[in-house]
Amino acid sequence: GLVSYRLSVGGNMYLEIGGDFNYTDSTTGGTQDTNATMDYTLYNARITLGDEEGKWSAQLWSHNITDEYYYPSAFVANGPFVRMVGMPRTVGATVAYYW
């Protein structure tokens, strides 16, 4: 799911606030119960300031804002059992200029 709200803030600029979520259901692991994964939901958020002409923008964002600990996959790799851990909470900034 995704929600976004954009409003003019004057001076030919806009402010956009958005968020999204992604739900992933559990898996059975197929023939190996140890390969099963639990369900999890990830939430992301962002706030963007830019010009209405689309020449530049600056964005602050966060992925996995609830810092959900999750395993997107599990498998056997040439003998050892491997369980991949998902990304923790991540924050950043993106600046873009278009010419």
Side-chain angles (χ1 to χ4, degrees):
L2 170 73
V3 64
S4 181
Y5 182 73
R6 183 173 177 162
L7 64 137
S8 292
V9 291
N12 198 30
M13 293 174 48
Y14 71 89
L15 181 69
E16 186 170 0
I17 300 169
D20 63 83
F21 71 93
N22 181 15
Y23 172 77
T24 302
D25 204 355
S26 60
T27 65
T28 63
T31 60
Q32 299 291 326
D33 290 341
T34 55
N35 293 349
T37 57
M38 301 299 292
D39 65 324
Y40 58 90
T41 303
L42 301 178
Y43 300 92
N44 307 311
R46 66 196 130 301
I47 184 167
T48 306
L49 179 67
D51 74 326
E52 295 283 359
E53 296 174 2
K55 290 187 177 184
W56 65 270
S57 66
Q59 182 179 82
L60 297 175
W61 50 264
S62 178
H63 296 168
N64 191 7
I65 59 177
T66 60
D67 204 20
E68 178 82 15
Y69 190 80
Y70 63 101
Y71 298 105
S73 64
F75 53 91
V76 175
N78 294 328
F81 175 71
V82 178
R83 187 170 275 189
M84 307 298 283
V85 177
M87 290 292 292
R89 178 184 306 124
T90 308
V91 296
T94 302
V95 177
Y97 181 79
Y98 305 99
W99 61 91

